[in-house]
């Protein structure tokens, strides 16, 4: 049975949520393996829009088990709010559908306060984080002073850890970052209440995934953010604090890499970025504005306008390489509907030298300018195309070009936010 990993192949916001929702139909279990509520996955079913930050995008399918793996960092307040919103809409009627791993780390109030205060203090050198406490939580995880879900649901252990860690956090917040110290009793009261409600969702997701695989289940591993935001392979330090490449699915879900059969990279037909950091194909003028408006490129987590640019095949090839992608899903093709010509970057120019590979060194990347190829636009509406044959020749040419410059086959095309605005060329779950 094929298991499939879905990852973003750009700087996030590629439309992973929609593709996960589509693919959930073929899967038995869906597992999120990294990141936290810095992600924002927008799903449109009928006329109803649902934005999820933490809960796997498969949750809109009744009977599919949705797991939040050990690699995720979880803000309990956001998690419970998300559950409430889903229930109000009639989803998640059976609580057993959702399980969070007891080894996942908890985003504490001091993580959020430190994230925001650090960004403020950094001034022009800020990362442009989502301010959700993601970085500080992963720092504490690696520093072995994190608080896990298992602690959250055990008031004694939780109180003991808060008492141990809070003085250092308050010292940092108050004395170095110029913030306000946090009150221990208030944290304990608030988080104990979360722990009590959340307890029924806690389990061992590694065990469930591996038992599922042994029983012949098909598992969909749902990534967040994108390969260029990966802590190792991304445009460091302008990255998120987790591993966003496909290999992370193994660690963050607690299963062996041999069970990851297919890796599907999600990519827009152009590219966007939120936050700071180099972006070789960024469009600053009217064209950038045009893409932002046509693609509604505003963050679903923070509402920030996204930086927009032409498709970057150098960056995409790098994502294909670091995640071992077996297929690409191209989203938001319809956003390019009106354009007479479309550019795509096939190489970089660095000090008059042609670079075909994405440079490791950020100082080099900062100085790279794109080498473009130009293709004709299709100048017609793709949003009602139901199959590949419905696409105009020039749209097919563009897709073929994307395959050629990335070296990866396109297996899905999205022409709008709805489920029925999806053209599937191959099913990655098929053996
Ligand atoms: P953090 O993940 O909040 O620490 O933010 C670090 C960087 O990752 C910033 O540039 C954010 O804008 C970016 N980022 C984090 N999550 C997402 C996402 O889901 N989509 C796009 N960018 C993201």
């Amino acid at each position: 049975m094929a298991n499939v990993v879905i990852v973003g192949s750009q700087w996030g916001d590629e439309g992973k949520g929609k593709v996960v929702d589509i693919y959930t139909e073929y899967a038995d279990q869906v597992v999120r393996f990294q990141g936290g509520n810095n992600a924002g996955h927008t799903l449109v079913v009928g006329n109803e829009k649902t934005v999820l930050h933490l809960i796997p995008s498969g949750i809109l399918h009744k009977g599919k088990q949705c797991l939040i793996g050990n690699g995720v960092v979880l803000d309990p307040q956001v998690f419970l709010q998300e559950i409430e919103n889903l229930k109000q809409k009639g989803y998640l009627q059976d609580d057993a559908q959702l399980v969070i791993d007891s080894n996942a780390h908890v985003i504490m109030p001091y993580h959020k306060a430190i994230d925001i205060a650090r960004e403020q203090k950094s001034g022009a050198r800020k990362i442009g984080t989502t301010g959700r406490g993601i970085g500080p939580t992963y720092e504490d995880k690696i520093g072995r002073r994190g608080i896990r879900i298992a602690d959250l649901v055990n008031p004694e252990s939780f109180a003991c850890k808060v008492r141990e860690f809070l003085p250092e956090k308050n010292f940092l917040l108050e004395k170095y970052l110029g913030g306000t110290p946090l009150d221990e009793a208030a944290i304990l009261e608030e988080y104990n209440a979360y722990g009590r409600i959340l307890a029924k969702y806690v389990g061992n997701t590694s065990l469930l995934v591996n038992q599922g695989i042994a029983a012949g289940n098909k598992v969909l591993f749902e990534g967040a953010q994108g390969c260029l935001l990966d802590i190792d392979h991304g445009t460091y330090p302008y990255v998120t604090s987790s591993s966003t490449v496909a290999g992370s699915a193994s660690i963050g879900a607690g299963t062996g890499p041999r069970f990851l059969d297919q890796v599907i990279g999600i990519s827009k037909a152009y590219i966007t970025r939120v936050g700071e950091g180099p972006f070789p194909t960024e469009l600053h003028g009217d064209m950038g504005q045009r893409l932002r408006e046509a693609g509604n490129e505003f963050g679903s987590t923070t509402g920030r306008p996204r930086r927009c640019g032409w498709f970057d095949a150098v960056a995409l090839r790098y994502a294909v390489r670091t995640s071992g992608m077996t297929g690409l899903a191209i989203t938001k093709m319809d956003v390019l509907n009106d354009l007479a010509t479309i550019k795509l970057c096939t190489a970089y120019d660095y000090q008059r030298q042609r670079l075909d590979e994405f440079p490791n060194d950020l100082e080099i990347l900062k100085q790279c300018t794109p080498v473009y190829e130009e293709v004709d636009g299709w100048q017609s509406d793709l949003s009602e195309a139901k199959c590949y044959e419905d696409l105009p020749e020039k749209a097919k040419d563009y897709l073929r070009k994307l395959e050629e410059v990335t070296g990866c086959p396109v297996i899905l095309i999205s022409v709008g936010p709805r489920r029925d605005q999806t053209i599937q060329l191959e099913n990655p779950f098929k053996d």
Side-chain angles (χ1 to χ4, degrees), residues 215-279:
N217 276 357
K218 293 185 179 186
V219 183
L220 173 47
F221 296 88
E222 175 181 358
Q225 292 83 45
C227 291
L228 299 174
L229 287 172
D230 182 271
I231 188 74
D232 286 276
H233 303 287
T235 48
Y236 190 89
Y238 301 100
V239 292
T240 192
S241 297
S242 63
S243 298
T244 59
V245 295
S248 172
S250 168
I251 299 163
T255 193
R258 73 191 171 99
F259 298 119
L260 314 177
D261 302 302
Q262 300 286 330
V263 178
I264 309 305
I266 317 300
S267 165
K268 282 177 191 164
Y270 49 99
I271 190 166
T272 62
R273 168 162 213 172
V274 228
E276 310 302 316
F279 180 176

Side-chain angles (χ1 to χ4, degrees), residues 11-13 38-39 127-130 225 229 239-240 274-275 304:
W11 278 290
D13 306 317
N38 44 351
I127 307 285
T129 71
T130 58
Q225 292 83 45
L229 287 172
V239 292
T240 192
V274 228
R304 288 180 290 178

